[in-house]
């Protein structure tokens, strides 16, 4: 088990990094506008400097500004997709556990059917049916990431159904719908919220993978996946910065969000902390 001071340091580091990321994506775009179509070949592939801390890309655009815009897109996709997937998974899991019988069997077989297909492959199939853009990626990520939430919520609801307060509500004449809405769903919201937070980093990586494959956002639009994809030729030529900085802005914030989610998970289940370490 990790030392308490180590856990505290990890928590504060994750909080500071996450706060800095949120401030950057909220404050920089309104202050500094990015022209996606701008080209200045006289500034092509300049290394990091005081004027351009992250250097410039292969058509002379400031890489720091494009990375911030790309991080904003990835974070937006991750947050919205995680929220939609959590709502779907919570509804499916709660309905399966509350109704039981054939409804439970049908819904869980549906979950198993979706889980049998690699989610990246399924996501590629979904996003390929639409034009490149933010919302097709959100739909693709959301429809492939609700399965774990459904299983978690179903397990929690099945556990709660045997509690005395549920028996008391049923004995008092409460319908199955009322018991689910008034008692079971509020009790599983912390676990569902934790599942949503844990899903955000995974959704950000999923969006970057789709964009890297050319199936996500349009190639001219700044996203971390597009930036890494467009920097491949520069990396082969020895220009490391167009690949390094977008990669770091993908890895570090996702690790910070995962660190905050880990602290939340430890607080929800302190007795199982050794089993739940990231």
């Amino acid at each position: 088990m990790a030392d308490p001071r180590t856990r505290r340091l990890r928590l504060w580091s994750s909080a500071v990094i996450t706060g800095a990321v949120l401030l950057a994506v909220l404050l920089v775009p309104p202050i500094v506008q990015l022209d996606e179509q701008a080209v200045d070949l006289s500034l092509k592939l300049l290394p990091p400097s005081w004027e351009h801390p992250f250097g410039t890309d292969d058509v002379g655009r400031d890489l720091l500004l494009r990375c911030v815009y790309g991080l904003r897109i990835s974070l937006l996709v991750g947050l919205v997709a995680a929220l939609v997937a959590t709502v779907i998974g919570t509804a499916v899991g709660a309905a399966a556990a509350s109704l039981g019988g054939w409804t439970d069997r049908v819904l869980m077989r549906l979950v198993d059917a979706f889980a049998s297909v690699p989610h990246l492959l399924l996501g590629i199939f979904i996003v390929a049916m639409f034009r490149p853009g933010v919302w097709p990626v959100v739909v693709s990520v959301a429809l492939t990431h609700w399965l774990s939430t459904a299983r978690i919520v179903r397990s929690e609801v099945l556990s709660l159904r045997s509690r005395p307060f549920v028996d008391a509500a049923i004995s008092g004449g409460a319908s199955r719908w009322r018991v689910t809405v008034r008692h079971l769903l509020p009790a599983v919201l912390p676990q569902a919220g934790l599942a949503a937070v844990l899903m955000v980093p995974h959704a950000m990586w999923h969006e970057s993978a789709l964009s890297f494959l050319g199936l996500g956002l349009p190639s001219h639009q700044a996203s971390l996946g597009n930036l890494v994809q467009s920097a491949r030729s520069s990396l082969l030529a020895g220009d490391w910065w167009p690949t390094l900085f977008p990669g770091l802005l993908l890895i570090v914030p996702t690790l910070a969000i995962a660190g905050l989610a880990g602290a939340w998970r430890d607080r929800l289940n302190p007795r199982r902390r050794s089993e739940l370490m990231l």
Side-chain angles (χ1 to χ4, degrees):
M1 186 181 298
D3 184 271
R5 287 178 297 181
T6 302
R7 293 200 303 270
R8 194 177 304 113
L9 177 62
R10 184 177 66 175
L11 174 61
W12 279 107
S13 300
S14 299
V16 169
I17 293 172
T18 304
V21 167
L22 291 176
L23 285 176
V25 300
L26 290 175
L27 297 181
V28 171
I31 296 174
V32 184
Q33 297 297 318
L34 175 65
D35 184 0
E36 302 278 6
Q37 306 291 345
V39 174
D40 187 352
L41 296 180
S42 65
L43 302 176
K44 177 182 178 180
L45 291 174
L46 294 180
S49 61
W50 285 109
E51 186 177 0
H52 302 286
F54 284 9
T56 61
D57 63 8
D58 55 352
V59 292
R61 294 171 294 195
D62 183 77
L63 197 57
L64 173 59
L65 187 58
R66 285 182 60 78
C67 283
V68 172
Y69 270 78
L71 182 59
R72 183 181 68 162
I73 291 294
S74 296
L75 195 59
L76 171 66
V77 171
L79 290 172
V80 176
L83 178 61
V84 175
T86 301
V87 171
I88 296 173
T90 301
V92 172
S98 301
L99 298 176
W102 67 267
T103 303
D104 185 21
R105 291 192 293 272
V106 169
L107 289 177
M108 296 318 294
R109 294 299 77 76
L110 178 65
V111 170
D112 292 339
F114 270 90
S116 65
V117 182
H119 63 265
L120 182 57
L121 181 62
L122 182 59
I124 290 173
F125 174 76
I126 294 172
V127 80
M129 296 187 296
F130 304 94
R131 291 183 178 179
V134 173
W135 294 112
V137 176
V138 169
V139 171
S140 171
V141 175
L143 292 182
T144 55
H145 287 73
W146 57 273
L147 308 175
S148 59
T149 304
R151 290 185 173 127
I152 291 171
V153 170
R154 176 180 178 271
S155 176
E156 291 293 330
V157 172
L158 287 175
S159 175
L160 291 169
R161 283 177 57 184
S162 60
R163 301 290 178 86
F165 71 90
V166 175
D167 294 334
I170 295 175
S171 300
S175 64
R176 185 177 296 181
W177 171 257
R178 183 176 178 84
V179 169
T180 301
V181 173
R182 292 293 299 274
H183 300 286
L184 298 180
L185 281 180
V188 302
L189 284 181
Q191 287 79 6
L194 175 59
V197 176
L198 286 169
M199 204 182 303
V200 171
H202 192 70
M204 292 174 64
W205 279 91
H206 197 86
E207 178 275 325
S208 297
L210 290 174
S211 296
F212 182 82
L213 294 173
L215 297 170
L217 276 68
S219 58
H220 70 274
Q221 188 170 355
S223 76
L224 295 179
N226 280 341
L227 291 176
V228 174
Q229 196 277 339
S230 64
R232 289 185 302 169
S233 59
S234 302
L235 182 63
L236 294 175
D239 300 320
W240 49 268
W241 56 92
T243 303
L244 175 65
F245 292 115
L248 287 177
L249 281 185
L250 179 61
I251 294 171
V252 174
T254 54
L255 288 178
I257 296 172
L260 291 178
W264 185 3
R265 183 167 57 181
D266 289 347
R267 187 175 294 273
L268 284 178
N269 298 279
R271 294 182 181 178
R272 299 176 56 200
R273 182 174 293 164
S274 60
E275 302 173 11
L276 297 173
M277 294 300 294
L278 289 176

